[in-house]
Amino acid sequence: AGILNKRIGITGCSDATNFTDYLKFVKRILPDLEIAGHIYNDKESNAEYAKQQLTSLAPFYNLTLKSETANSIEQIPTAFQNIKNQSINTIMIAADNTMSKGINTLSDLAIENKFILIGDSNEHSQGGALASISVDYEKLSKSTGNLIYSVLLGKNPDNEAIRKFSTDVISVNLTTAESIGFTIPTEILNEAKYIYE
């Protein structure tokens, strides 16, 4: 939000996706993937930041990103079709509120067209994405409570570091996997915290 180091009394916990962790996860599921689609809302600062991060990091994973914008749920089908027209069959979404709100629309399109959809929230997998990886929201919640408690006890927020978390909670959707004819690697299944059927 741009308030760090500009106001006093600021600290907090971040649920930001670690994009290196995210891309490592994508390549674990799809080691031969070279080109992936990416749909994002370029009017959301978080989604624009995610796009920049993914684009800059992707070459380190032998991956090229083809991005399309969708500024509303209604624009998702057009963005999806634009990616499909490029003969791409994998879509990545991350740090995007519009994509999260429209996950049912996007996952329905992906399943219908046998696309692989990978998100960064277990709600994405719950909503029909093949798989996702996210921060541990249970750890985030507990850490937030502890941080608030320490401030209420008199600690200066400016002396409390911003707390960030690894992006390491895996979720998968077995129904989607069956629908698109994809076999999720056993090691991913073994590590998954959430499995939707």
Side-chain angles (χ1 to χ4, degrees), residues 7 15 18 28 50 68 87 91 93-94 109 131 133 136 143 148 151 162 168 171 179 182 188 197:
R7 297 185 184 179
D15 70 345
N18 180 306
R28 285 183 66 198
E68 293 288 335
S87 299
I91 293 178
I93 56 171
L109 287 165
I133 189 165
D136 189 326
S143 185
I148 292 169
V151 171
I162 301 296
D168 58 6
S171 58
S179 296
F182 185 87
I188 298 291
E197 300 185 62

Side-chain angles (χ1 to χ4, degrees), residues 25 41 79 113 176:
F25 176 68
N41 182 347
N113 290 275
T176 297

